[in-house]
Amino acid sequence: MAKVIEGLYYSESHEYVRVEGNVGYIGISDYAQQALGNVVYVDMPDVDDEVEAGSEFGAVESVKAASDLIAPVSGTVVEVNEALDDQPELINQDPYENWIIKVELSDKTEVDNLMDAKAYEEFCKQE
């Protein structure tokens, strides 16, 4: 069973966002990294790029497949996780510690459209 963390918000495309103040840490869920297998490359946007909820902002490539990253919330990229350039497998080791991008949220109410941990667990069971 994939690990689901309380206090995060999850999208149907298996991205999560952890909100701290006006900043959102966006990554992929444990369920997603398990489905992908060994991650070999992470395509990330640049700092100052705008991401829009429901739109693609990058991709994760594994030995099995490539998967688009869909932003769960909108905002401006304030940091990318540069460690993933050299060690994309960090996502497999702990996807919740190894977020992909950090954004300044443009609309905090967008998290209301996402699932909490309990709802996401149920969603994953249906997949």
Side-chain angles (χ1 to χ4, degrees), residues 21-105:
N22 203 37
V23 173
Y25 294 78
I26 298 173
I28 65 170
S29 71
D30 193 41
Y31 180 94
Q33 73 81 17
Q34 284 181 13
L36 278 167
N38 294 337
V39 174
V40 293
Y41 178 71
V42 183
D43 180 31
M44 296 176 276
D46 296 319
V47 170
D48 292 332
D49 280 1
E50 297 289 324
V51 297
E52 192 177 321
S55 296
E56 185 185 325
F57 70 86
V60 175
E61 293 178 23
S62 72
V63 289
K64 291 198 292 192
S67 181
D68 289 338
L69 293 166
I70 308 298
V73 290
S74 303
T76 305
V77 178
V78 292
E79 192 179 334
V80 297
N81 189 345
E82 291 176 2
L84 298 176
D85 284 337
D86 296 326
Q87 296 179 284
E89 68 278 4
L90 289 171
I91 287 179
N92 295 121
Q93 291 166 18
D94 190 338
Y96 299 115
E97 280 301 309
N98 295 292
W99 47 270
I100 297 170
I101 60 171
K102 205 175 353 181
V103 298
E104 188 169 327
L105 302 171

